[in-house]
Amino acid sequence: METTRQQKVAKQIQKDISDIFTKEGAEFVAGSMVSVTKVRVSPDLSSAKIYLSIFPFDTSEKILERIKNNSSIVRRALGNRVRSQFRIVPELFFFIDDSLEYISHIDELLN
């Protein structure tokens, strides 16, 4: 179970990362719609697992690799935003959250 501090940090990271993707990440998002669905922060606040939902689904692996390759740029942008709030900027690990794709697939099967 996450502590209140972890939840607050995760919420702040989620807000800032999604803002970075919409404003500064156009070169590595490449016209796809990227949403940050969930952020999990380690108990010592040194690492964060960021779950992304990428639309269209067929390009999600390629976009995720591009985001992973540019994770240092995203981390630096996050550090600029939260430098007065966090002592250290957590290391970022990106994963695909395929729950929306699964829901879409189930919806197609039901129709």
Side-chain angles (χ1 to χ4, degrees):
M1 190 165 130
E2 291 184 330
T3 63
T4 305
R5 175 79 175 146
Q6 283 176 291
Q7 291 172 353
K8 287 180 181 180
V9 168
K11 194 175 289 189
Q12 183 66 40
I13 290 173
Q14 182 176 3
K15 180 180 147 303
D16 288 334
I17 293 289
S18 60
D19 194 43
I20 289 168
F21 282 150
T22 56
K23 293 181 180 173
E24 303 168 18
E27 67 271 359
F28 48 87
V29 173
S32 297
M33 187 174 78
V34 177
S35 301
V36 180
T37 57
K38 186 177 10 175
V39 175
R40 299 278 182 195
V41 180
S42 65
D44 62 352
L45 307 177
S46 66
S47 65
K49 292 181 180 179
I50 301 169
Y51 295 91
L52 304 172
S53 177
I54 302 171
F55 185 79
F57 302 123
D58 55 347
T59 63
S60 61
E61 289 295 327
K62 186 174 81 170
I63 299 296
L64 181 66
E65 282 303 314
R66 206 178 288 168
I67 290 171
K68 284 182 179 180
N69 291 338
N70 293 306
S71 65
S72 62
I73 296 170
V74 176
R75 187 176 182 207
R76 188 175 316 118
L78 178 66
N80 288 336
R81 291 170 186 263
V82 299
R83 77 174 119 207
S84 63
Q85 299 166 347
F86 298 168
R87 193 171 68 213
I88 59 167
V89 179
E91 181 141 2
L92 306 177
F93 299 100
F94 295 98
F95 300 97
I96 291 182
D97 181 13
D98 58 354
S99 60
L100 292 177
E101 184 178 4
Y102 179 73
I103 291 170
S104 173
H105 179 69
I106 295 297
D107 191 40
E108 288 176 10
L109 291 175
L110 290 175
N111 287 335

